[in-house]
Amino acid sequence: MSGAGPEHLAFSGWIDPPADPLPALEGELACDVAIVGGGYTGMAAALRLRERGVEAVVLESAFCGWGASSRNAGHLTPTIAGDPQLLASAYRRRAPELVRLADAAVHFAAGLIERLGIDCEYVPGGNVSAALSAGQMRRAGRIARFLAGCGGEVELVEGREAGLPHAFRGGILERAGGTLNPGRLARGLRAALGDAGVRAFERTAVEAIAPSRSGVVVDAARGRVRAGRVLLATNAYTRDIPFGPPRAVAPLWVTLAETAPIEPGRLEAAGWTGRAGIYTQHVILESYRRTARGTVVFGSRLPRRPRGPLGARTPDPAAVADVVRGFHERFPSLRDVAARRAWGGWIAMTPSWLPVAGEAAANVYYAVGYNGHGLAQAPYLGTLLADRLAGEEAHDDLLAVWRPRPRFAPAPLFSAPALRAAWTIDRISDRFAGRG
Ligand SMILES: Cc1cc2nc3c(=O)[nH]c(=O)nc-3n(C[C@H](O)[C@H](O)[C@H](O)COP(=O)(O)OP(=O)(O)OC[C@H]3O[C@@H](n4cnc5c(N)ncnc54)[C@H](O)[C@@H]3O)c2cc1C
């Protein structure tokens, strides 16, 4: 590896923060629905409520797109329940409805991008849950059959046939979805709010929500909203807000890095001729994808637990070094290619490994906890919840994750020792990579 280490960014490598932040909320206003959080969930919900003629306002503590929505790896994928293996084991009975939800979410997100005309470099080439060893490939075959039996748009592919890099033997091709620039998607949704005339307030952290005679009162530092209902779209940050469903989410910090531009032909020489995004079948996945700017964005491996409140932070240098090591192990012919920058963000894990939606208190609704797969599921569930708040009967895909009561079990699997153990298992499994 050549040159100085990667630049550590406090926001995202995909886009810059907006030059035109919207005004903060000052004074008092009234509306039907106050949406807390301006990521994919909150922005998609606001757009749908607007379409339905319901007056909504968005209250965002930084700017719309500040959270995971502008930072993620950009795999538009129908993966749900952690990974396909977990779906086949922990959710055998419910799998058909979850597979249907996840596929519908991808088609919804792709349709939203098209309908709003958002240029987010979307490449609809699918994604592959890729095997590194013969054992993983056999398991991939079993899971692919199971998912296809549940109605999933998947097939088992060989590495060469799918144009995967040499390190990968093949895997489960998820045909729905592909890769995109998530920052551009978030920015496009933010612009769509303005075009649709949705009232949004940035630099407006909601501090308290209290019941009132006509619904709820939502308080920020310098303003107040009197709303009929509230929609919490705060994903990982839900842990830190006193009015969210307690213990609904366990935030984990996920690290990404991006290479310098790679000379044309070198990825193809490494076997990567296909366009599908790739994630590995490790317990804690690694992800790899090409970008429109001729780079590779990759990451995950060992996530970090929060110490204190989830504020702005730059990536942990040890975590960056670890993902870069992973990249060079998977792409030995690119060992001279340096990582140019790194960033990260908070994902929201849930004890069930499934997204959750429900009513946290009277008139306070939520849709959160996408377990690192919310690029499609966040806008979809935000939209379905908006439909419900607009008076429609709940959609089956919303009911599939609906919690009648906001009670959540502790999640010991996301403790630091458990994560470290999973990472160690992954490094042991790496010894079998390429064998058999
Ligand atoms: C590094 C990384 C990689 C990922 N890769 C993928 C991927 O490849 N594919 C995939 O499907 N998913 C991926 N994800 C997950 C995906 O990005 C998220 O599931 C999705 O963006 C969640 O959207 P959201 O709107 O629910 O949450 P967010 O985008 O996090 O938005 C929540 C918003 O709430 C605001 N907020 C919080 N508290 C308050 C408050 N008190 N008042 C007002 N506003 C508040 C925050 O500022 C934030 O903007 C990844 C996530 C990360 C971090």
Side-chain angles (χ1 to χ4, degrees), residues 392-410:
E392 277 197 11
E393 214 172 288
H395 191 285
D396 282 347
D397 289 341
L398 183 63
L399 291 176
V401 296
W402 192 261
R403 308 289 293 224
R405 275 183 301 280
R407 300 222 180 94
F408 297 91

Side-chain angles (χ1 to χ4, degrees), residues 35-43 59-77 79 182 204-207 233-238 241 243 252-256 279 287 343-348 367-379:
I35 298 171
V36 184
Y40 297 145
T41 305
M43 290 194 282
L59 306 169
E60 163 56 51
S61 59
F63 52 84
C64 291
W66 155 256
S69 295
S70 292
R71 299 160 180 260
N72 65 73
H75 298 265
L76 187 71
T77 155
T79 303
T204 301
V206 171
E207 293 169 354
T234 40
N235 208 35
Y237 305 89
T238 308
I241 53 179
F243 39 84
L252 294 180
W253 177 266
V254 170
T255 304
L256 296 180
Y279 17 79
S287 66
W343 65 93
W346 296 107
I347 63 168
V368 299
Y370 306 102
N371 292 271
H373 299 301
L375 180 41
Q377 289 153 32

Side-chain angles (χ1 to χ4, degrees), residues 286 288 298 301 321-331:
E286 291 169 15
Y288 299 96
F298 57 93
R301 288 174 58 118
D322 188 41
V323 297
V324 172
R325 197 175 309 119
F327 171 71
H328 286 141
E329 279 169 17
R330 308 296 161 234
F331 296 87

Side-chain angles (χ1 to χ4, degrees), residues 81-279:
D83 69 15
Q85 166 78 32
L86 200 65
L87 193 61
S89 49
Y91 289 107
R92 261 198 119 68
R93 198 177 48 78
R94 290 175 64 190
E97 63 172 339
L98 296 173
V99 166
R100 183 198 62 213
L101 184 172
D103 276 338
V106 170
H107 293 301
F108 171 83
L112 185 68
I113 291 165
E114 193 178 335
R115 189 157 53 83
L116 296 177
I118 298 175
D119 173 11
C120 58
E121 300 159 2
Y122 177 39
V123 178
N127 285 281
V128 176
S129 170
L132 288 161
S133 66
Q136 286 185 358
M137 196 62 194
R138 281 193 295 276
R139 194 179 62 179
R142 285 196 300 277
I143 298 168
R145 278 193 297 281
F146 173 75
L147 293 177
C150 294
E153 300 169 38
V154 299
E155 64 183 294
L156 188 71
V157 289
E158 292 296 328
R160 298 295 77 76
E161 155 207 351
L164 298 180
H166 296 315
F168 302 99
R169 289 171 169 268
I172 306 165
L173 169 66
E174 300 168 339
R175 281 194 299 271
T179 56
L180 52 75
N181 178 325
R184 278 175 167 245
L185 174 57
R187 196 167 64 190
L189 289 171
R190 182 175 180 270
L193 292 182
D195 294 346
V198 174
R199 282 187 294 175
F201 298 91
E202 298 186 328
R203 295 168 292 173
T204 301
V206 171
E207 293 169 354
I209 295 180
S212 73
R213 247 185 303 148
S214 54
V216 272
V217 175
V218 180
D219 280 318
R222 297 169 66 184
R224 163 171 284 192
V225 177
R226 292 185 181 280
R229 283 146 310 156
V230 169
L231 195 169
L232 299 178
T234 40
N235 208 35
Y237 305 89
T238 308
R239 189 207 63 163
D240 286 354
I241 53 179
F243 39 84
R247 291 204 302 219
V249 298
L252 294 180
W253 177 266
V254 170
T255 304
L256 296 180
E258 180 176 16
T259 65
I262 298 173
E263 298 95 84
R266 289 196 69 189
L267 289 176
E268 288 73 12
W272 203 353
T273 54
R275 279 291 175 268
I278 297 168
Y279 17 79

